[in-house]
Amino acid sequence: MSLSFWLGILQQGFFFGIMVLGIYLTFRVLDYADLTVEGSFTLGAAVVSQAIVNGYNPLIGTLMAILAGAIAGTVTGLFHTKLKITPLLSGILTMTALYSINLRVMGGKANISLLRQDTLITYLQSWGLSKDAASLALGLFTITLLIFLLNYFLKTEIGLALRATGDNEQMIKSLGVNTDTAKIFGLAISNALVALAGAEVAQFNNFADVNMGIGMIVVGLASVIIGEVLYGLENFPGILISVVLGSVVYRLVIGVVLLFGLPATDLRLVSSLLVVLALASPRIKSRLKLTA
Amino acid sequence: MLIIKNLNKTFFPGEVNEKKALCNINYHFFKGDFVTIIGGNGAGKSTLLNCIAGVYIPDTGSVLLDDEDITNIPEYKRAGKIARVFQDPLKGTAASMTLEENLVMALKRGQKRSLRKAIKEKEVKLFRERLAVLGLGLENRLKDKVGLLSGGQRQALTLLMATLQKPDLLLLDEHTAALDPQTANKVMQLTDWLVQEFKLTTLMVTHNLEQAIKYGNKIIMMDRGSIILDLNGKEKKEITVTKLMERFARCSGNSITNDRMLLSKWANVS
Ligand SMILES: Nc1ncnc2c1ncn2[C@@H]1O[C@H](COP(=O)(O)OP(=O)(O)OP(=O)(O)O)[C@@H](O)[C@H]1O
Ligand SMILES: [Mg+2]
């Protein structure tokens, strides 16, 4: 396998790893299966692309994307906590609404091209990096920063309250935490990260597409589970690093499958099978007595 | 200090499975009271505690704590004043988090939480000291996940967490019922010690009549949503399990078979 193959795996692994951190936050920390992700990923891409096309600095555009994602997560959180809609349905409702909103953000077009526009990656290139090196640097920098921030946050007083909300809601309520607020906050952060991932992927691919978020929840879950199964770490920041590595391994599997000549249209099937396999594997592991 | 006025709570009102859980409860708890609450299954004991803690909002009536009407205040806002220990040892702690993380969350009970690092050296020292009192060796396991502890250890930890930040009111709902007799005894002794040490006003629901008699300064008996017996002072000191069962039979006016079931159940437990 060529160097460019491995480079591609790492670049994608890191960019999508940003989203995986967000999904880890809801899926594992908050114990909330959030489908908003599919819409907020596209939202991030749409917002940054529209901002860039309209002449905004790509950094400002990226920050706008993060904010938009946080709002999407907040809406899902409000659906769930204030209107008592189930987690799954709350996410589906926001995701569905976001499809229309994303199209509006994109000015009614199904895709926006960023070719010959300034992006975070072209900024880095202007410092003398190649496109590949700049992309890798952006992904790695974002991931490192996020792992650092999340590791700190999850050990703060509010971070502990958030984790306890996912672990034992009754207990943390009796200790005086408004768990509704905690859930909304967690969903906002998670979707902010997912939108950031969408924004960086759009700048990496040089386009935003209204359908680019489809299937992201499975990609994210697959990465989280692969990371957990392969590395078996439970503490912070170990687990955060694991799930990002899970994202890289996921890209590697996909890359190899493509290399074997499978058409790209079969990737979703492969992704789903991978999740099923990964979900089954802790059981396989314990059956083989590989774990305690 | 805790005043319950005309408290009523009905579940599923107007439906076929309507359940009147509390019927016009009135009671005045004084500062430093350690009240044990007994009664058959479905008598309304847990519902009463849940109304005091804010898990349920009563249909009518009011709950006053230190002269403040807290009847309609959400549960999480009462947490600064009220600490609780549940029957299920798994419910009082977060299994995926470490002992010190659980303890520090309890230390912040009812306080505003910030973006500061939660665990600091000073607090770790306090946790070590407090855990050492339990005599379970937990002071050396601060970084272990709580999920690794036994039920009894977890319940002892929960109790410690409830008192780490002195509550105005401690609510215990059959908190030793899920433990084996020996562990139950230990946790009960720890409870008594903590209540004395910190002079805690305490309400303890129990199915164990000996426990109810041995501990506390008052006994309340509940039946079908009402308080049917209230013993304190000399009466409380002189009561025995047999006499208590007789009084229950008289007060409740249950059919004889019903009583037998209850009595035999209690006899088994105690
Ligand atoms: N959340 C609820 N929804 C519907 N009915 C309830 C609920 N909680 C309690 N009840 C009903 O209210 C009545 C009183 O229940 P409660 O749990 O207070 O009894 P208890 O005295 O604690 O009994 P036990 O000794 O079995 O714990 C019961 O008939 C019960 O079925
Ligand atoms: Mg009960």
Side-chain angles (χ1 to χ4, degrees):
Chain A
M1 281 171 247
S2 63
L3 182 68
S4 75
F5 173 82
W6 288 106
L7 208 60
I9 299 296
L10 285 179
Q11 287 162 340
Q12 301 210 20
F14 290 150
F15 284 132
F16 285 95
I18 301 167
M19 172 189 79
V20 173
L21 285 173
I23 290 183
Y24 170 78
L25 214 55
T26 43
F27 187 63
R28 282 293 192 240
V29 176
L30 266 187
D31 194 20
Y32 189 112
D34 177 31
L35 296 187
T36 316
V37 171
E38 308 234 330
S40 53
F41 185 83
T42 313
L43 179 66
V47 168
V48 80
S49 303
Q50 193 59 269
I52 288 174
V53 169
N54 281 289
Y56 283 89
N57 180 309
L59 190 60
I60 304 286
T62 305
L63 292 176
M64 286 161 71
I66 294 174
L67 184 67
I71 294 171
T74 304
V75 169
T76 301
L78 290 172
F79 283 170
H80 172 57
T81 58
K82 303 299 171 215
L83 305 181
K84 312 285 175 218
I85 301 172
T86 63
L88 222 51
L89 193 55
S90 304
I92 291 175
L93 288 170
T94 313
M95 174 187 86
T96 307
L98 277 176
Y99 186 82
S100 305
I101 292 172
N102 290 337
L103 269 172
R104 270 186 185 268
V105 171
M106 294 167 75
K109 287 179 295 190
N111 49 60
I112 297 178
S113 168
L114 292 177
L115 277 174
R116 280 177 292 280
Q117 300 279 0
D118 285 343
T119 65
L120 288 175
I121 292 171
T122 61
Y123 268 27
L124 288 173
Q125 281 177 272
S126 70
W127 294 355
L129 294 175
S130 69
K131 169 143 207 289
D132 273 338
S135 305
L136 194 64
L138 177 65
L140 193 59
F141 170 77
T142 315
I143 282 288
T144 311
L145 182 71
L146 288 177
I147 288 180
F148 183 81
L149 287 176
L150 281 177
N151 179 51
Y152 176 83
F153 168 68
L154 290 169
K155 291 175 182 167
T156 61
E157 291 166 8
I158 292 178
L160 291 192
L162 203 76
R163 286 161 59 198
T165 301
D167 184 308
N168 188 341
E169 189 173 348
Q170 185 180 3
M171 168 248 188
I172 195 65
K173 237 192 229 172
S174 79
L175 292 180
V177 168
N178 182 346
T179 51
D180 284 358
T181 311
K183 285 182 195 172
I184 295 170
F185 191 53
L187 284 164
I189 299 179
S190 168
N191 282 287
L193 295 184
V194 173
L196 171 61
E200 292 200 2
V201 166
Q203 295 175 72
F204 174 61
N205 289 336
N206 277 324
F207 72 87
D209 184 286
V210 75
N211 288 321
M212 67 193 282
I214 297 177
M216 282 305 136
I217 189 79
V218 173
V219 173
L221 291 186
S223 308
V224 168
I225 297 165
I226 291 172
E228 285 174 340
V229 171
L230 286 186
Y231 304 101
L233 295 176
E234 285 189 348
N235 294 316
F236 302 110
I239 182 67
L240 299 174
I241 298 168
S242 299
V243 299
V244 172
L245 291 178
S247 167
V248 175
V249 172
Y250 173 84
R251 288 296 147 188
L252 181 63
V253 173
I254 296 292
V256 169
V257 167
L258 285 175
L259 220 57
F260 278 125
L262 210 71
T265 44
D266 284 347
L267 279 187
R268 298 244 169 92
L269 179 64
V270 176
S271 301
S272 290
L273 286 177
L274 208 61
V275 173
V276 173
L277 205 71
L279 280 173
S281 85
R283 248 167 270 162
I284 296 168
K285 255 177 132 183
S286 68
R287 224 174 280 155
L288 297 175
K289 299 219 185 327
L290 291 175
T291 52
Chain B
M1 78 106 22
L2 174 69
I3 301 168
I4 312 288
K5 264 196 223 155
N6 305 324
L7 213 60
N8 282 286
K9 178 76 193 173
T10 302
F11 291 104
F12 310 116
E15 291 177 34
V16 262
N17 46 354
E18 179 178 291
K19 201 89 234 158
K20 200 148 176 35
L22 294 179
C23 315
N24 220 41
I25 301 267
N26 282 289
Y27 205 83
H28 193 140
F29 298 90
F30 292 93
K31 208 168 194 68
D33 266 353
F34 181 178
V35 183
T36 57
I37 303 175
I38 54 176
N41 291 111
K45 307 180 295 294
S46 299
T47 307
L48 176 62
L49 258 56
N50 280 326
C51 284
I52 296 171
V55 180
Y56 301 144
I57 303 296
D59 304 330
T60 57
S62 52
V63 179
L64 281 87
L65 184 60
D66 290 328
D67 299 325
E68 186 194 350
D69 189 340
I70 58 167
T71 318
N72 297 307
I73 292 182
E75 178 185 359
Y76 71 91
K77 283 193 186 159
R78 304 185 194 196
K81 294 173 177 266
I82 302 176
R84 292 163 68 199
V85 181
F86 308 100
Q87 174 175 356
D88 183 350
L90 306 182
K91 289 212 172 126
T93 42
S96 70
M97 301 173 74
T98 63
L99 267 75
E100 57 182 5
E101 285 172 338
N102 273 277
L103 284 160
V104 85
M105 287 191 289
L107 190 64
K108 284 263 145 24
R109 179 168 46 76
Q111 293 174 13
K112 223 172 163 51
R113 284 155 213 264
S114 72
L115 280 174
R116 271 195 300 271
K117 201 164 154 258
I119 296 169
K120 292 168 217 107
E121 268 314 302
K122 196 180 90 209
E123 283 149 8
V124 172
K125 204 165 146 265
L126 171 75
F127 298 158
R128 280 230 171 78
E129 280 167 22
R130 291 291 183 88
L131 284 169
V133 176
L134 300 182
L136 296 169
L138 294 181
E139 63 275 18
N140 302 316
R141 301 181 62 182
L142 277 174
K143 297 217 183 300
D144 277 2
K145 298 238 151 85
V146 167
L148 299 172
L149 303 184
S150 72
Q153 288 173 327
R154 276 180 86 161
Q155 205 64 328
L157 178 66
T158 308
L159 209 55
L160 196 71
M161 284 165 57
T163 52
L164 205 52
Q165 166 85 250
K166 190 186 169 199
D168 293 348
L169 189 63
L170 177 62
L171 302 179
L172 309 168
D173 193 351
E174 297 188 50
H175 71 303
T176 63
L179 308 173
D180 66 75
Q182 230 178 347
T183 317
N185 217 354
K186 264 197 209 143
V187 169
M188 198 49 235
Q189 279 166 8
L190 172 68
T191 308
D192 196 43
W193 182 79
L194 286 166
V195 169
Q196 308 296 338
E197 178 79 9
F198 298 106
K199 302 191 171 43
L200 302 172
T201 310
T202 306
L203 273 61
M204 178 176 82
V205 173
T206 177
H207 271 151
N208 183 326
L209 292 192
E210 280 171 12
Q211 220 177 49
I213 292 169
K214 184 168 169 196
Y215 298 99
N217 63 331
K218 287 179 185 167
I219 298 184
I220 300 179
M221 189 184 279
M222 288 186 69
D223 185 48
R224 283 170 289 179
S226 304
I227 295 177
I228 55 166
L229 188 67
D230 171 16
L231 301 175
N232 55 50
K234 195 156 161 274
E235 267 190 311
K236 153 81 171 56
K237 285 208 185 79
E238 288 169 356
I239 197 85
T240 62
V241 172
T242 332
K243 276 194 223 155
L244 205 54
M245 289 200 284
E246 280 168 20
R247 305 256 331 230
F248 176 73
R250 228 181 310 142
C251 295
S252 72
N254 268 357
S255 74
I256 299 202
T257 44
N258 239 342
D259 277 348
R260 283 233 180 87
M261 271 162 52
L262 272 172
L263 300 188
S264 66
K265 184 187 166 199
W266 281 353
N268 283 338
V269 172
S270 50

